[in-house]
Amino acid sequence: MRVVAGECKGIPLKSAQGDNTRPTTDKVKESLFNIIGPYFDGGLVVDLFAGSGGLGLEALSRGMDHGIFIEKDNKAFQALQYNIAKCRYEEQTECYRNDATRAVKALIKRDEVIDLIFLDPPYAKIMYYDVIHQLVEANKIAKDGMIICEHSKQFTLAEAYGDFVCQRTEVYGDIAISIFQTKGE
């Protein structure tokens, strides 16, 4: 696993040991960013269920200004902190070892909007996608922002979260990635 493109291109990323996380492969990451980017002009990225941080770090490498990473698992959190340091993004990131539902409540209280959010919860925990509704209802996702959900291809997400409509779903083996944006974006 590595950073695929941008200023940190080629930097290898450490993944958490054990079965609690499934890092997004470089092939899937490259394909996803070719669809949603491939590069950005600043903004805030949130990597909820960050694991080792591969998606959020890729977004920072490709031009996002600031990243917030949320990960509950201790081993994954240690790998995440290592990877942030390896990419030299300590000044551009906030990293929290926390449950996603608590983290979303904290995000709602902040005075900023999210330009890009990645959600990749454990596949068996489909109820975690409900946090998207909370963020959308609180106007915490920029009108031109994107919500990226990684999920099992057997699971179909809602067609929309408020004004954010599923614009595209791509399947890679057993996983699917659904991209939500407001109509007209």
Side-chain angles (χ1 to χ4, degrees), residues 15-17 21 50-53 71 73-81:
S15 62
Q17 300 298 314
T21 61
S52 54
E71 176 53 51
D73 181 79
N74 187 49
K75 288 180 183 176
F77 189 76
Q78 290 173 4
L80 170 62
Q81 289 179 308

Side-chain angles (χ1 to χ4, degrees), residues 103-120:
V104 165
K105 288 176 185 173
L107 288 169
I108 288 171
K109 292 178 183 176
R110 295 173 71 125
D111 188 28
E112 57 193 338
V113 294
I114 300 164
D115 298 290
L116 176 62
I117 185 167
F118 295 105
L119 288 97
D120 184 11

Side-chain angles (χ1 to χ4, degrees), residues 98-157:
N98 204 346
D99 176 74
T101 53
R102 281 183 165 164
V104 165
K105 288 176 185 173
L107 288 169
I108 288 171
K109 292 178 183 176
R110 295 173 71 125
D111 188 28
E112 57 193 338
V113 294
I114 300 164
D115 298 290
L116 176 62
I117 185 167
F118 295 105
L119 288 97
D120 184 11
Y123 288 170
K125 308 277 186 178
I126 57 175
M127 71 283 200
Y128 276 121
Y129 292 103
D130 292 342
V131 300
I132 301 169
H133 285 295
Q134 296 169 31
L135 290 167
V136 170
E137 288 173 10
N139 294 316
K140 288 297 163 183
I141 301 178
K143 295 295 179 204
D144 61 348
M146 284 185 277
I147 303 166
I148 311 297
C149 299
E150 186 173 325
H151 54 95
S152 167
K153 73 177 181 181
Q154 278 81 33
F155 180 65
T156 303
L157 296 178

Side-chain angles (χ1 to χ4, degrees), residues 13-49:
L13 300 175
K14 182 179 182 179
S15 62
Q17 300 298 314
D19 297 331
N20 291 341
T21 61
R22 328 162 299 286
T24 304
T25 66
D26 291 348
K27 179 182 174 187
V28 171
K29 206 171 8 174
E30 186 170 13
S31 177
L32 170 62
F33 279 89
N34 283 338
I35 294 167
I36 67 170
Y39 295 98
F40 306 102
D41 285 328
L44 171 63
V45 59
V46 172
D47 197 344
L48 204 54
F49 308 97

